[in-house]
Amino acid sequence: MTICLDMMGGDFAPLEAVKGVRDYLTEADNPALLFLVGDEAQINPLLQQYQIPADKVKVFHAPQVIDYNESPTKALKEKQQSSIAVGFHLLASGKAGAFISAGNTGAMLVGAMYSIKPIEGVQRPTISTIIPKDNGTTGLLLDVGLNADCKPEHLNQFALLGSLYAKHILGIAQPRVALLNIGEEEGKGNLLAQAAYPILKENDQINFTGNVEGRDILLDKADVMVCDGFTGNVILKMAESLYEITHRKGMKHEYLDQFNFELYGGTPVLGVAKPVIIGHGISHAKAFSNMIHLAQKMIATDLMEKMKASFESK
């Protein structure tokens, strides 16, 4: 098993990426071989400093970096030697089994769409976020920003992708799927919600349980909640701000700690043919380590092949 990591992506790269590699190799019982992509002159001294075993990693030199303010499509075309472009080349060519980066999100999404391609039958790949429940369990909310405007069929596909992720990665045997809405009753909501409800209800590949409201998101009402990316991103950013505020004010509680994004690493792009994981720009070692663990689990469970099989059967 090989996992490719962009060492130059993120505000604290490559130092925190190297520390994340160290933590992962220490924690994992059977670690994958890690392909580390980036500037050798910056990476190699850090690998020596943090005593990274040479037989556990392989460095691929990439002298260029795609900055956050660059146009994703233009940068990927013009910067063929950037860490993101090289990483996608390793993934697309089959040399790596997954690719992780906390760099330019747009470039990661463009790379996932055009280098790896969506699974046949998937109209819109999606990104999700883990939702900590008040009873200690976790759920999934999607889409959270990749698709601001959606059609009812897109939400139906998000529901299937999210169910498979919840089952094989979160370990939920029969995930309950709900539509995020402004009321519990069927027929509530805007045109999108009203049209999506009957499609979700008829989908025999998911366990659809109806609508949930905003007040239900943090309760154990559903395991997978679907919405358009505009709504999902507003919820995600509000949750991040609540964590930041409570942390800044010194409000300590084990439940509030579950809102720390670093515990979950990053978000996978669901609906593309191979594992691609996008990290937060402010990722530290814990986030990088957890992203590698997530990539390893996605490969080990053969999640992408299970998603392909589900869409072939539709």
Side-chain angles (χ1 to χ4, degrees):
M1 186 186 295
T2 55
I3 296 171
C4 184
L5 177 62
D6 172 13
M7 303 299 289
M8 309 310 292
D11 294 349
F12 309 108
L15 174 60
E16 292 298 322
V18 170
K19 289 163 68 175
V21 167
R22 174 203 61 190
D23 293 348
Y24 163 76
L25 292 174
T26 302
E27 297 160 358
D29 294 329
N30 187 24
L33 174 64
L34 302 181
F35 287 176
L36 310 182
V37 183
D39 182 3
E40 288 179 334
Q42 296 185 57
I43 297 171
N44 287 335
L46 289 170
L47 295 178
Q48 293 180 357
Q49 180 182 342
Y50 286 91
Q51 300 179 331
I52 307 298
D55 62 331
K56 300 295 184 183
V57 300
K58 183 177 180 180
V59 178
F60 289 80
H61 182 53
Q64 297 175 312
V65 176
I66 297 177
D67 295 323
Y68 286 109
N69 58 355
E70 292 188 73
S71 165
T73 305
K74 183 180 178 183
L76 277 172
K77 286 181 179 177
E78 294 180 354
K79 290 187 171 181
Q80 292 289 309
Q81 294 303 309
S82 65
S83 52
I84 290 180
V86 173
F88 272 116
H89 174 72
L90 290 167
L91 183 61
S93 64
K95 293 176 182 175
F99 180 44
I100 300 165
S101 176
N104 186 305
T105 300
M108 286 296 291
L109 293 172
V110 170
M113 289 291 287
Y114 295 103
S115 296
I116 307 307
K117 310 289 186 186
I119 292 169
E120 188 172 349
V122 173
Q123 297 176 11
R124 297 272 191 92
T126 179
I127 54 176
S128 62
T129 189
I130 297 292
I131 298 293
K133 307 285 190 64
D134 69 330
N135 66 351
T137 62
T138 55
L140 199 69
L141 176 69
L142 69 169
D143 184 278
V144 292
L146 185 51
N147 304 285
D149 295 298
C150 293
K151 295 178 180 179
E153 180 56 33
H154 299 155
L155 299 191
N156 189 40
Q157 293 195 346
F158 298 166
L160 177 54
L161 292 167
S163 291
L164 290 166
Y165 187 85
K167 180 178 181 179
H168 298 290
I169 302 300
L170 301 183
I172 302 169
Q174 193 175 13
R176 298 161 296 166
V177 178
L179 175 65
L180 188 59
N181 211 329
I182 58 170
E184 292 183 355
E185 305 85 1
E186 184 173 352
K188 284 278 190 175
N190 57 13
L191 293 175
L192 174 62
Q194 290 176 34
Y197 192 104
I199 298 175
L200 291 164
K201 190 176 180 180
E202 293 170 8
N203 188 345
D204 59 6
Q205 290 184 293
I206 62 172
N207 176 26
F208 182 59
T209 57
N211 290 325
V212 290
E213 300 180 77
R215 63 186 176 187
D216 302 321
I217 292 173
L218 302 179
L219 306 179
D220 192 26
K221 293 287 188 74
D223 302 302
V224 177
M225 294 165 282
V226 295
C227 61
D228 62 86
F230 184 94
T231 303
N233 192 263
V234 170
I235 294 169
L236 171 62
K237 296 297 172 59
M238 183 176 180
E240 287 182 351
S241 72
L242 286 173
Y243 172 74
E244 290 170 5
I245 290 169
T246 55
H247 189 70
R248 193 166 62 241
K249 290 183 177 291
M251 299 167 65
K252 293 289 185 182
H253 192 278
E254 60 182 14
Y255 176 64
L256 295 175
D257 291 340
Q258 298 303 306
F259 283 86
N260 181 359
F261 75 91
E262 301 226 14
L263 295 176
Y264 314 107
T267 180
V269 183
L270 301 180
V272 293
K274 296 184 179 183
V276 175
I277 299 174
I278 301 173
H280 205 301
I282 56 172
S283 293
H284 288 84
K286 181 185 287 290
F288 281 107
S289 175
N290 284 331
M291 281 190 279
I292 304 170
H293 281 294
L294 174 57
Q296 183 171 3
K297 194 168 186 179
M298 290 177 73
I299 296 170
T301 57
D302 208 13
L303 178 63
M304 273 43 199
E305 288 301 319
K306 290 180 171 66
M307 288 180 172
K308 287 179 189 177
S310 293
F311 277 85
E312 286 171 359
S313 64
K314 289 186 71 175

